[in-house]
Amino acid sequence: MLIEFDGVSHAYDEYRFAVRDVTVTLTERRIGLIGANGSGKSTMARMLNGLVLPTSGRVTVDGLDTARSGKEVRRKVGFCFTDPDAQIVMPTVAEDVAFGLRRRGLSKAEIRARVEAILARHGLAGHHDHPAHLLSGGQKQLLALASVLVTEPDLLVMDEPTTLLDLRNARMIADLVANLDQQVVMVTHHLDLVRDFDRVLVVDGGRVVFDAPPAEAIDHYLQLMASPR
Ligand SMILES: Nc1ncnc2c1ncn2[C@@H]1O[C@H](COP(=O)(O)OP(=O)(O)O)[C@@H](O)[C@H]1O
Ligand SMILES: [Mg+2]
């Protein structure tokens, strides 16, 4: 999908701009966003599905303006948060996955089939009736992802999906992402996760300060972090 930021700024309050005048066109399958805490990564990521709207400028996804067509945009763009507890809303694993399919006009049988398929694909088949809150951290993130993927988005935006996970679970999520058909935009501090991506943007002070293949972008970011503020 074609993602366009056209002169995009966002201020949460009158004076502080979290994102400043970003203009960028993204078409790659795997896009990383890296940068220090508070640099504006989450704000940019949230603008991709209209969770945050530009204060000025325009964000379009597949030609749809996120400010005008939020609902259609959210059908195309799935979002995965850092903390799966923020995303899991139903008591059991299967109910949580099915929740994402509500109001889509699907029959009960179709919903059941899709839920079963996605649970099987992500190694949660045996956890159908498991209480969601009793899953391990890694399994919770898997469930949160399954609940988004069951809606078959064209683009998956992930905001630090491995930050709360141990290395084994982070690896598992990275492998899952590597095998997804979807286009992915991922914010991360785990630089290994974006090493084989197509394009990596370095964000600093609300601006995209570097935009390159991963090796160069990671180098730039490491230098930026080593230099005095
Ligand atoms: N809901 C909010 N209300 C006010 N300020 C916010 C809010 N969310 C983020 N900010 C501020 O916007 C800036 C960018 O934040 P964010 O996009 O979360 O950066 P990052 O994800 O890179 O850490 C920071 O200065 C942060 O304090
Ligand atoms: Mg963030």
Side-chain angles (χ1 to χ4, degrees):
M1 280 206 309
L2 173 67
I3 301 165
E4 286 188 290
F5 283 73
D6 181 11
V8 172
S9 297
H10 180 81
Y12 287 101
D13 55 46
E14 250 176 280
Y15 307 104
R16 288 187 310 155
F17 278 85
V19 169
R20 301 161 193 259
D21 197 25
V22 169
T23 296
V24 68
T25 300
L26 306 168
T27 55
E28 291 76 7
R29 270 192 81 240
R30 294 287 180 265
I31 300 155
L33 280 181
I34 61 178
N37 293 332
S39 57
K41 305 180 299 298
S42 293
T43 305
M44 275 187 72
R46 286 170 184 220
M47 285 203 262
L48 291 171
N49 75 342
L51 277 178
V52 171
L53 297 176
T55 308
S56 57
R58 216 161 66 107
V59 177
T60 58
V61 177
D62 216 7
L64 294 169
D65 186 327
T66 59
R68 290 189 192 177
S69 313
K71 210 171 154 188
E72 285 154 281
V73 166
R74 280 183 284 280
R75 290 222 160 176
K76 291 174 183 284
V77 184
F79 199 99
C80 176
F81 294 89
T82 309
D83 182 359
D85 283 326
Q87 198 151 339
I88 294 169
V89 290
M90 296 298 280
T92 72
V93 167
E95 285 171 314
D96 193 70
V97 175
F99 186 76
L101 293 175
R102 74 200 183 286
R103 293 200 303 261
R104 294 215 171 204
L106 298 173
S107 71
K108 279 191 173 165
E110 281 172 303
I111 291 177
R112 195 175 312 130
R114 282 218 209 173
V115 169
E116 292 311 319
I118 206 91
L119 290 180
R121 178 157 182 196
H122 298 297
L124 288 165
H127 291 80
H128 191 278
D129 296 319
H130 201 83
H133 72 281
L134 293 181
L135 295 173
S136 72
Q139 285 174 325
K140 279 185 183 175
Q141 194 56 291
L142 267 186
L143 170 58
L145 265 170
S147 295
V148 173
L149 292 171
V150 77
T151 67
E152 300 177 352
D154 297 318
L155 168 65
L156 180 64
V157 180
M158 310 178 86
D159 191 357
E160 299 193 37
T162 59
T163 296
L164 299 176
L165 303 181
D166 62 26
L167 277 179
R168 183 191 300 272
N169 283 310
R171 195 69 254 159
M172 173 189 72
I173 296 295
D175 290 344
L176 187 158
V177 171
N179 290 311
L180 285 180
D181 301 329
Q182 273 88 0
Q183 187 180 16
V184 172
V185 173
M186 187 195 286
V187 176
T188 190
H189 289 292
H190 287 156
L191 302 178
D192 279 348
L193 264 60
V194 296
R195 267 190 209 284
D196 59 357
F197 274 27
D198 302 311
R199 182 171 176 185
V200 175
L201 310 183
V202 182
V203 182
D204 193 45
R207 300 180 196 275
V208 175
V209 296
F210 204 78
D211 178 357
E216 291 105 280
I218 289 169
D219 272 358
H220 183 89
Y221 174 56
L222 293 175
Q223 280 171 34
L224 190 67
M225 292 303 99
S227 61
R229 303 214 71 148

